[in-house]
Amino acid sequence: MRFHDHRQAGQELALRLLEWAGDRDFTDTLVLALPRGGVPVAAEVARALKVPLDVLVARRIGAPGRPEAGIGAIAGDDPPVYDQRSLALLGLTEDRLAADVSRERAELHRREDLYRGGRPAPRVDGRTVIVVDDGLATGVTARAALRHLRRQEPVRLILAVPVCSPQAAATMREEADDLICLHQPRSFRAVGEWYEEFAQVSDEEVISTLRASEASAPARSAPSAQRGPAHPGRAHGSPAHRSQAHGSEGTAR
């Protein structure tokens, strides 16, 4: 399975979420995109579910000399989350990466200010939160984001991506209440190989997408206020629990 672009991947992901949810209600649900690539995907999800869209900025910490190789990540002002196996293989210590963390933290705050334009971060406690990215290779950035959100006590935490590696899927099942992934290829090198068009998402596109979503928010919120139970994970009186969506290969997504 390959996706044409971010938008089409988001549309497919939204359909899967709607199928997975069944008659569960999305009242007081929030979609949080991991920018920048997750934003156009998440916008389609938020539009289909008729729920608000915002961003959670998390920054990857790359290996020295190989910034594209994620060995850790940060979200908010939380401590870094590291892939301890990668640190051991590379002979690195957390202290040695302190300067990298400081640099990425500054960039994280810069992007938060840029994308939100003075708006406060959305409320998370007591809400169902769907975190969306365009794909997961190691999953370390999503892990940092999920742990950051978990501290804020959402009622349910869902991670939804079009594609992810089997290793990332295994890790994310321990972090999210639900993992929704359309495609989990056994051979996985990079997220971009599963898209026909994988253009880099710009800051301008992130900002314009958020503004468009905010402008349509009143139209979205009105229907959901008329609906039934407040949280998808508690429909029919059942408690929240960890679950996994299944894809065409019969394995957890």
Side-chain angles (χ1 to χ4, degrees), residues 1-13:
M1 173 186 287
R2 295 183 74 209
F3 305 99
H4 176 65
D5 56 14
H6 285 104
R7 182 179 178 185
Q8 191 252 333
Q11 292 168 347
E12 295 290 334
L13 189 58

Side-chain angles (χ1 to χ4, degrees), residues 155-234:
V155 71
R156 195 176 190 95
L157 192 52
I158 301 165
L159 177 62
V161 294
V163 61
C164 69
S165 69
Q167 295 81 5
T171 301
M172 292 305 103
R173 292 184 194 114
E174 301 300 319
E175 303 289 347
D177 296 315
D178 305 283
L179 171 64
I180 311 294
C181 180
L182 302 181
H183 188 39
Q184 186 184 316
R186 294 184 178 89
S187 176
F188 190 104
R189 293 188 300 273
V191 172
E193 69 180 335
W194 301 102
Y195 287 81
E196 294 172 2
E197 296 182 6
F198 197 65
Q200 183 174 352
V201 178
S202 66
D203 286 338
E204 291 75 17
E205 183 177 350
V206 171
I207 294 167
S208 64
T209 301
L210 291 174
R211 286 176 177 169
S213 178
E214 187 176 13
S216 65
R220 288 177 177 168
S221 59
S224 59
Q226 309 291 327
R227 304 169 79 176
H231 304 296
R234 297 187 176 180

Side-chain angles (χ1 to χ4, degrees), residues 110-178:
R110 185 195 71 82
R111 292 197 184 199
E112 285 181 333
D113 293 341
L114 177 65
Y115 297 157
R116 290 218 171 90
R119 290 183 297 110
R123 177 180 61 83
V124 169
D125 65 291
R127 304 179 79 174
T128 294
V129 179
I130 305 174
V131 179
V132 178
D133 203 355
D134 57 2
L136 304 177
T138 66
V140 68
T141 304
R143 189 191 317 167
L146 291 170
R147 291 185 181 181
H148 174 72
L149 291 169
R150 185 70 74 185
R151 293 183 177 95
Q152 301 175 53
E153 300 184 346
V155 71
R156 195 176 190 95
L157 192 52
I158 301 165
L159 177 62
V161 294
V163 61
C164 69
S165 69
Q167 295 81 5
T171 301
M172 292 305 103
R173 292 184 194 114
E174 301 300 319
E175 303 289 347
D177 296 315
D178 305 283

